[in-house]
Amino acid sequence: MIQLEGTVDRITFYNEDNFYTVAKLKLQNNRTVTVIGNLPPLYIGEELEVRGGWVQHKEYGEQFQVEEWESKVPQTLIGIERFLGSGLLKGVGPATAQKIVRYFGLESLDIIRNSPEQMLKIPGFSMVKADRIAESLREQGEIQRIMVFLQGVGVSPGYALKIYRTYKNEAVKVVTENPYRLADDVFGIGFKIADQIAKKMGVSNDSPYRIQAGIRFWLNGNSSEGHIYALEDEFLAKASKELEVNELQLAAAVEELLLKKEIFREDGPDSQRLIYLAPFYYSEIGVVAKINSLLQAEPQSISIEPAKFLEKYAAENQITLADKQQEAVLKSLQHNLLVITGGPGTGKTTIVKAILSLFKTARCRVMMAAPTGRAAKRLAETTQEDAKTIHRLLGYGSEEFNGSRFQFNEDEPLATDVLIIDEFSMVDLILFYNLLKAITPGTRLIIVGDVDQLPSVGPGSVLRDLIHSARIPTIRLNVIFRQAQKSLIIANAHRINQGEFPLLSKSGDFFFIEEAAPEQIVKTIPELVKTRIPKFLGCDPVEDIQVLTPMRRTITGVENLNLCLQEALNPPASGKSEVKTGMTTFRLGDKVMQLKNDYQKSVFNGDIGRIKAIDPEERRMEVVFPEVDGEHKVVYDSEELDQLVLAYVISVHKSQGNEYPVVVMPVTTQHFLMLQRNLLYTAVTRAKKMAVLIGTKKAVAIAVKNNKIDERNSLLKDRLLSVADSY
């Protein structure tokens, strides 16, 4: 292996996603060479030792391919200043670096590391700032040490940083003892990357650690597609191929995981054996038991005459309740568990308000919740009563209570007589189980949602299974009210749901723009969002307009359209701070979405907010998320920025449970794999004031005709039926 030493003279290209770098390295003999490879964040003037070999690029000529690297501690004043001001240390920018070096000279790094209190001699420095800089320098040194070790086992610098953030000084020990822990513990590192690391370290293909981690990984992948369980024979065949081990070895690993209760096996239909990850098994069994308890419990007696209440309520609110709506009010009194479903314009909100009024009149304690912040806020606004997200209702993130993330559970139930959950179609199995654990038998649970929308992003088809089990009293609202009939959004939503082609017009609240060329669609959407729709409606292009699309990739997908809309709605400007992570540049004012549940920050997958502050020196951002009771401010450090993505455009799945004044959606044959009736129906029903489709009639027709519902592996319906048959 050839070794070179020199100073970084220029960084030609740098990809923060995979840390691929093209840089100019000035050697000790003043010769400048091009070095390429996966390197940590470099800075101009950095002294670097690289090992590797020469390669010939057909266009760029001779380049040095780096296999291993080591950063040298800077020894000169200019080297120290460049290092301190490079952005690697939190709280130090070029101006601060210059002050430190001017004051302490060549001793700057030693003083920061060993005597940070001396920095108080510099005007404007506090002990808090000095300690932060010292901690950042020590951390950078530890990261470098760990990176040197990890690069030897094939870990890229980006993943090395994530590993360090997770395990700190234990990183080397964890990776050495069981690299497959990374797949479970480190966000962004899955089994395949952990497997590559393990192979570099000499872990054999048939290692029990490896096989068990692989089983957990592919079962998790199965649940990410919405499934609760996997068919064991199919699963073992797939896992055997992926892991390159025989099925006997896999079967032995399955038995070990069964003994450890990390997975469970069940006999399914047609004599098939099913395997579950433990959380999904406990949740499915638990939901059935909890529902059974609710159904068997005697409803609390309420001294109110329903007929008189309905008559009085209709008169006071000057409305006429349809037969199904009146039936829903009556059944909410008669049963502990009730499902109310129906499409847009069928009066779900009206019936929620009526039921709420009924129980308030009867002096019952009532709580209301919805899956997302937007849905909870809308519920609160329409009912003029308090509403929360389900997570907040359950006290998600409260670790001090019984070691659980949920404050409210079987030991600490919700203090309510009636619980109303809106937008229930997006509630997955595990969240539903945790909700049921916080409800005591005798409490009335009223579930409201549109069963014809897409199923939840998380695993299971809970609303559909509850209704199809026929065990849960269910009211399907089927009358479209006169006022709603005037809306083409509502009319077309019902036409789509019934398999009929929507009425395409250029007026009213539903618009269709014929455009076959994807490139032209990409040009038109920013124009619509930035200028045409705001001018027509007098609305805010960022807050009031949401672009939805069926797919992430393709030219009309989430990723590309987000870049186009960011450039149109929030372009770079002098004085507008920004920070780059991976291939994404976040800018002050950007609309962003959270990608994972973060219990400590109390922000959850799918939450959308706005960037309100960026500290470029600290690489820290403050994002404000709307809540029912005001704004929820969340601070993200540099290593947490990968939890966010731009949200000018989101997928239709991510839009569930939310309403937007305006929805714009490309519908093209590029999205052929995702063009389904319930997807188009869900997208259209997200719009409140205006829906705009842009694409081809052929693509719309494909979606309307395709009524195939992706079946999800779940035994919830069967278990509910089985319990019913046992009585």
Side-chain angles (χ1 to χ4, degrees):
M1 211 178 273
I2 301 168
Q3 180 173 306
L4 301 177
E5 288 186 36
T7 304
V8 177
D9 191 52
R10 181 155 59 92
I11 299 167
T12 308
F13 176 79
Y14 179 57
N15 183 336
E16 287 195 31
D17 272 344
N18 56 19
F19 287 72
Y20 181 77
T21 304
V22 179
K24 297 291 185 183
L25 191 69
K26 193 171 186 177
L27 305 182
Q28 292 169 335
N29 61 5
N30 283 332
R31 178 190 171 199
T32 300
V33 300
T34 301
V35 295
I36 60 173
N38 297 101
L39 292 162
L42 302 177
Y43 62 92
I44 305 298
E46 182 170 1
E47 295 173 37
L48 206 61
E49 180 183 294
V50 294
R51 292 173 289 279
W54 294 101
V55 294
Q56 192 71 27
H57 192 281
K58 63 181 180 181
E59 185 175 348
Y60 300 113
E62 190 177 56
Q63 299 177 327
F64 189 81
Q65 176 71 55
V66 177
E67 300 296 333
E68 297 176 0
W69 56 268
E70 186 175 342
S71 180
K72 299 291 185 179
V73 177
Q75 303 292 329
T76 65
L77 291 176
I78 192 166
I80 293 170
E81 186 176 323
R82 282 174 171 171
F83 168 66
L84 290 175
S86 65
L88 295 176
L89 304 186
K90 291 181 181 179
V92 185
T96 303
Q98 189 179 65
K99 287 180 184 178
I100 294 171
V101 174
R102 276 183 181 173
Y103 212 94
F104 298 113
L106 293 174
E107 296 181 341
S108 295
L109 296 180
D110 283 336
I111 283 170
I112 293 172
R113 191 179 291 113
N114 302 314
S115 306
E117 67 278 359
Q118 289 198 46
M119 283 189 280
L120 295 178
K121 297 175 183 177
I122 303 173
F125 268 63
S126 66
M127 200 62 226
V128 171
K129 182 170 185 176
D131 283 341
R132 190 163 69 243
I133 294 171
E135 176 61 28
S136 190
L137 180 62
R138 284 193 290 270
E139 185 178 87
Q140 192 62 33
E142 186 65 23
I143 290 169
Q144 289 279 359
R145 185 184 73 81
I146 289 168
M147 279 184 168
V148 169
F149 164 76
L150 292 174
Q151 72 175 338
V153 293
V155 182
S156 76
Y159 289 128
L161 187 59
K162 285 175 178 284
I163 292 167
Y164 171 76
R165 298 293 188 202
T166 302
Y167 302 116
K168 300 293 183 184
N169 296 338
E170 294 289 304
V172 172
K173 180 184 177 186
V174 169
V175 174
T176 304
E177 290 180 353
N178 179 12
Y180 292 102
R181 273 188 62 185
L182 304 178
D184 295 326
D185 298 343
V186 184
F187 180 63
I189 294 185
F191 171 80
K192 292 183 179 179
I193 294 170
D195 200 32
Q196 290 170 13
I197 296 168
K199 285 180 179 177
K200 287 260 186 175
M201 295 178 65
V203 176
S204 65
N205 259 18
D206 58 359
S207 160
Y209 279 143
R210 178 176 185 268
I211 297 174
Q212 290 179 30
I215 290 169
R216 289 194 300 269
F217 170 74
W218 273 290
L219 279 177
N220 260 317
N222 191 58
S223 69
S224 70
E225 295 174 8
H227 301 303
I228 302 300
Y229 63 78
L231 301 174
E232 186 173 20
D233 290 345
E234 286 181 13
F235 176 78
L236 291 179
K238 176 185 175 181
S240 173
K241 185 178 178 182
E242 295 282 358
L243 289 166
E244 297 178 338
V245 297
N246 65 54
E247 290 193 28
L248 285 176
Q249 291 171 306
L250 269 175
V254 166
E255 295 303 323
E256 180 66 25
L257 289 170
L258 286 167
L259 284 172
K260 292 194 288 188
K261 296 190 182 298
E262 290 186 28
I263 66 172
F264 286 82
R265 178 188 283 135
E266 282 274 291
D267 291 327
D270 304 321
S271 302
Q272 296 184 87
R273 295 205 301 186
L274 320 175
I275 49 176
Y276 290 75
L277 280 173
F280 302 116
Y281 177 78
Y282 287 128
S283 294
E284 194 170 82
I285 295 290
V287 163
V288 173
K290 294 294 180 185
I291 284 178
N292 198 48
S293 295
L294 282 176
L295 292 175
Q296 285 189 310
E298 190 70 29
Q300 291 181 20
S301 177
I302 292 176
S303 57
I304 194 169
E305 293 186 34
K308 284 186 178 180
F309 167 80
L310 285 169
E311 184 180 340
K312 183 180 178 185
Y313 182 81
E316 287 177 350
N317 292 275
Q318 298 181 331
I319 59 171
T320 301
L321 294 176
D323 290 345
K324 286 289 183 183
Q325 289 180 313
Q326 293 187 43
E327 186 182 350
V329 174
L330 296 174
K331 286 200 171 182
S332 70
L333 285 170
Q334 297 164 358
H335 303 283
N336 280 333
L337 182 55
L338 176 66
V339 172
I340 301 170
T341 188
T346 57
K348 293 193 297 295
T349 300
T350 300
I351 204 59
V352 167
K353 289 164 73 174
I355 290 172
L356 180 63
S357 177
L358 169 73
F359 287 110
K360 286 280 186 181
T361 302
R363 298 181 182 276
C364 293
R365 297 169 298 174
V366 183
M367 289 182 175
M368 296 192 299
T372 67
R374 277 178 175 266
K377 190 174 182 180
R378 188 174 69 248
L379 181 61
E381 288 170 350
T382 55
T383 60
Q384 297 297 301
E385 295 287 347
D386 184 43
K388 297 179 179 178
T389 63
I390 297 173
H391 291 99
R392 287 193 183 281
L393 180 81
L394 297 177
Y396 218 34
S398 300
E399 301 273 351
E400 69 268 26
F401 288 86
N402 306 312
S404 170
R405 288 195 177 106
F406 291 94
Q407 174 182 346
F408 295 102
N409 48 42
E410 288 157 315
D411 298 322
E412 195 81 25
L414 294 166
T416 187
D417 301 310
V418 182
L419 178 59
I420 300 172
I421 305 294
D422 197 14
E423 292 289 358
F424 191 84
S425 62
M426 68 180 300
V427 174
D428 62 40
L429 182 73
I430 289 179
L431 182 57
F432 187 41
Y433 178 43
N434 282 291
L435 179 71
L436 289 173
K437 284 197 286 188
I439 299 172
T440 53
T443 300
R444 287 175 167 84
L445 174 61
I446 297 164
I447 289 169
V448 183
D450 186 347
V451 73
D452 295 319
Q453 288 184 28
L454 289 168
S456 58
V457 174
S461 300
V462 179
L463 182 58
R464 186 173 288 119
D465 286 346
L466 293 180
I467 292 172
H468 290 176
S469 75
R471 278 215 70 202
I472 318 299
T474 300
I475 298 293
R476 181 152 197 153
L477 304 175
N478 53 13
V479 175
I480 304 174
F481 288 88
R482 188 178 304 162
Q483 187 176 352
Q485 289 173 0
K486 298 174 184 176
S487 166
L488 263 184
I489 292 174
I490 291 173
N492 278 334
H494 286 277
R495 289 178 70 89
I496 291 165
N497 200 30
Q498 291 159 13
E500 299 173 15
F501 197 82
L503 302 169
L504 304 183
S505 73
K506 293 185 178 179
S507 62
D509 59 3
F510 188 99
F511 293 80
F512 177 75
I513 299 172
E514 182 90 38
E515 183 51 68
E519 295 79 8
Q520 189 56 45
I521 291 173
V522 171
K523 289 179 182 178
T524 302
I525 286 176
E527 181 190 339
L528 283 168
V529 175
K530 182 180 180 180
T531 308
R532 288 164 59 179
I533 295 172
K535 186 177 178 182
F536 183 72
L537 282 183
C539 62
D540 183 278
V542 178
E543 290 294 330
D544 297 332
I545 303 175
Q546 185 62 59
V547 179
L548 306 179
T549 186
M551 300 181 78
R552 292 205 58 79
R553 294 175 177 85
T554 76
I555 190 173
T556 54
V558 170
E559 292 169 7
N560 184 56
L561 282 175
N562 258 319
L563 295 177
C564 296
L565 281 164
Q566 184 191 41
E567 182 63 29
L569 299 174
N570 193 27
S574 176
K576 186 185 286 185
S577 53
E578 57 183 47
V579 62
K580 186 173 182 182
T581 179
M583 299 301 286
T584 303
T585 297
F586 291 118
R587 199 167 289 135
L588 191 65
D590 270 338
K591 187 178 185 179
V592 293
M593 180 171 65
Q594 174 78 7
L595 286 180
K596 59 171 283 194
N597 290 340
D598 190 319
Y599 314 122
Q600 280 68 43
K601 296 183 188 298
S602 196
V603 61
F604 304 102
N605 183 7
D607 286 353
I608 292 178
R610 297 284 294 274
I611 298 174
K612 290 297 184 185
I614 295 178
D615 185 336
E617 277 198 356
E618 297 278 359
R619 285 180 56 79
R620 181 180 292 166
M621 290 194 329
E622 181 183 281
V623 179
V624 172
F625 295 92
E627 291 287 347
V628 177
D629 51 357
E631 294 182 335
H632 175 48
K633 294 179 182 178
V634 179
V635 175
Y636 293 83
D637 286 324
S638 57
E639 66 271 17
E640 298 170 323
L641 296 181
D642 60 356
Q643 295 183 22
L644 295 168
V645 290
L646 294 173
Y648 299 102
V649 185
I650 63 174
S651 68
V652 179
H653 282 84
K654 288 287 189 182
S655 74
Q656 286 174 265
N658 294 315
E659 262 188 8
Y660 312 97
V662 182
V663 164
V664 177
M665 180 180 174
V667 187
T668 78
T669 50
Q670 274 196 325
H671 304 145
F672 183 86
L673 292 173
M674 297 295 292
L675 290 177
Q676 296 177 340
R677 185 184 298 175
N678 60 352
L679 182 136
L680 183 59
Y681 172 78
T682 299
V684 169
T685 55
R686 299 306 88 209
K688 192 173 180 181
K689 292 182 179 177
M690 178 185 290
V692 180
L693 303 184
I694 176 168
T696 64
K697 293 177 182 175
K698 179 180 179 181
V700 174
I702 290 170
V704 170
K705 289 177 184 176
N706 182 9
N707 195 31
K708 182 186 175 185
I709 295 173
D710 293 330
E711 291 298 326
R712 296 183 165 193
N713 291 344
S714 165
L715 284 184
L716 179 58
K717 181 186 76 172
D718 302 86
R719 291 185 194 276
L720 286 168
L721 285 168
S722 176
V723 170
D725 290 342
S726 66
Y727 290 109

